[in-house]
Amino acid sequence: MKKYIFILLSAILFGFTSCQPKVEQQTNDKNEKLVFATLFVQQAAEFKALNHQAYNIGKLRLDQILSTNKSVKKLAVVVDIDETVLDNSPFEAKSILEKSSYPMYWAEWCNLAQAESIAGAQEFLSYAAKKDVETFYISNRKVEFYDATIANLISNGFPYADSIHVLLRTTQSDKEPRRSLVKENYDIVLLFGDNLGDFSSIFDGKSTADRYALVEENKDEFGSKFIVLPNPIYGAWDAAMFFDLVVDNKDSVYKARLKSF
Ligand SMILES: [Mg+2]
C-alpha cells in the first residue's frame, strides 16, 4: 500500500513540477553574447562581402586620388591591424568555448601568427604598393607581439610589413601621435579601421551620444577618406555604453540599452 501511495505522490509531484513555466537559465556565461557575433564573422558570407565592399571602395578612392594627385610628399594609406587586415575570430571562438576572456589566450593566439587576412585587405594593399602608395600599420597590439605580428602579416603576403611601417602600441592607445609621425613624410590619403579611433582621436573616449553626433558631423569622410570595416564582436562602441557608469553586472546594462517599441 505504502508503495502505491509513494507512486501516486511522485506522479502528482512530477506532474505539478513539469507544468511549471520554465525559468530562463541564467548561465553566467559572459561569452554567450559573443556566439552570434562570432558566427557572423565566421559563417556569414555577408561579412566577407562587407569587407570586400570596404576594400573595393578603397580601391575606387585610391584610383581617384592618384588621378588628381599633386602632393609633393609620398602617399600612404594607414590601416589598423586587428579586424581590419587580420581576422582574430578564432581567438574569440576559443574564448567562448573555454569560457575565458581577454587577455587569456591572446598572447598564445598572437604568437601563433596564424590569423588570416580580412577579405580584400591583402589584395588592396598590394594594389596600392604597385602604385607606390605605402602602407602604415597603426595598431594597438602591444609591442611584445611585434615579431609575431610582422610574421603574421608576411605570411599573408601583406606589403611593407617591416619595422618602419608597423607601429604598435608603446605607451598610449591614442593613435594620433603615430599618425602625426607618418604625416611628417607622407600624405595619408586613406585610413582603414573597425574602430572610429582608427580614423581620428576626436572619437576616443566618448559617450554613445557623442559618437553618434561626431559621425554625423563627419559623415562625408566615410567612404571618402575613412573606410570602415565591420566588427560585431568588440570595439569602442561597447565601452561607450558604459561611459560614466560604474557597474558590477554589464549584462544588465546591455538589455537596458536595447531600443524597443
Ligand atoms: Mg581593430
Side-chain angles (χ1 to χ4, degrees):
M1 188 63 186
K2 272 185 184 171
K3 189 177 157 191
Y4 292 118
I5 291 169
F6 175 76
I7 291 170
L8 185 66
L9 282 173
S10 298
I12 291 167
L13 195 62
F14 177 76
F16 176 73
T17 53
S18 65
C19 288
Q20 294 298 296
K22 278 192 178 165
V23 177
E24 198 181 321
Q25 283 243 319
Q26 297 290 319
T27 60
N28 278 337
D29 183 357
K30 295 190 177 4
N31 288 339
E32 206 54 39
K33 66 182 179 301
L34 297 178
V35 173
F36 222 65
T38 304
L39 286 173
F40 180 71
V41 169
Q42 297 190 333
Q43 301 290 333
E46 288 81 356
F47 178 75
K48 198 178 269 285
L50 281 167
N51 291 317
H52 277 304
Q53 182 171 277
Y55 283 106
N56 286 344
I57 290 170
K59 184 171 177 289
L60 278 174
R61 284 295 298 133
L62 188 64
D63 287 341
Q64 281 177 350
I65 290 160
L66 288 171
S67 69
T68 57
N69 176 46
K70 291 188 176 65
S71 176
V72 290
K73 287 183 182 173
K74 285 187 281 184
L75 303 189
V77 297
V78 165
V79 296
D80 166 52
I81 292 180
D82 295 317
E83 281 43 78
T84 296
V85 302
L86 291 181
D87 168 14
N88 297 299
S89 62
F91 162 74
E92 304 297 339
K94 179 83 169 173
S95 300
I96 292 166
L97 296 174
E98 300 292 333
K99 293 185 166 51
S100 61
S101 59
Y102 177 88
M104 197 178 285
Y105 295 115
W106 178 244
E108 188 181 330
W109 167 247
C110 286
N111 288 327
L112 281 172
Q114 286 180 355
E116 294 180 1
S117 172
I118 290 285
Q122 188 274 333
E123 292 91 333
F124 169 76
L125 296 176
S126 296
Y127 176 79
K130 276 191 205 133
K131 302 280 180 181
D132 287 327
V133 178
E134 297 184 25
T135 298
F136 284 86
Y137 301 86
I138 300 183
S139 163
N140 279 342
R141 278 192 179 196
K142 292 178 183 170
V143 285
E144 66 191 82
F145 303 122
Y146 185 79
D147 289 343
T149 301
I150 298 263
N152 201 163
L153 291 170
I154 289 172
S155 73
N156 280 292
F158 281 103
Y160 301 105
D162 57 44
S163 59
I164 294 167
H165 295 83
V166 179
L167 306 172
L168 302 188
R169 173 158 55 114
T170 50
T171 52
Q172 57 176 328
S173 56
D174 182 357
K175 294 184 170 182
E176 207 65 60
R178 282 171 281 169
R179 283 190 287 264
S180 296
L181 201 65
V182 175
K183 283 178 194 167
E184 285 178 11
N185 297 308
Y186 294 84
D187 257 350
I188 299 175
V189 291
L190 292 169
L191 298 103
F192 294 75
D194 64 300
N195 258 305
L196 292 174
D198 297 328
F199 308 114
S200 168
S201 296
I202 59 167
F203 300 109
D204 287 339
K206 298 289 195 311
S207 67
T208 303
D210 286 346
R211 299 177 92 244
Y212 269 117
L214 285 166
V215 164
E216 205 53 37
E217 275 172 38
N218 293 277
K219 63 183 178 186
D220 291 341
E221 299 283 21
F222 296 100
S224 176
K225 188 170 185 179
F226 303 162
I227 311 293
V228 189
L229 282 298
N231 179 2
I233 301 176
Y234 67 92
W237 62 276
D238 183 356
M241 285 191 278
F242 301 90
F243 186 80
D244 269 356
L245 277 183
V246 180
V247 286
D248 291 331
N249 181 7
K250 284 176 105 179
D251 289 340
S252 63
V253 175
Y254 288 128
K255 285 207 172 161
R257 290 285 176 269
L258 289 172
K259 297 172 185 174
S260 186
F261 65 91

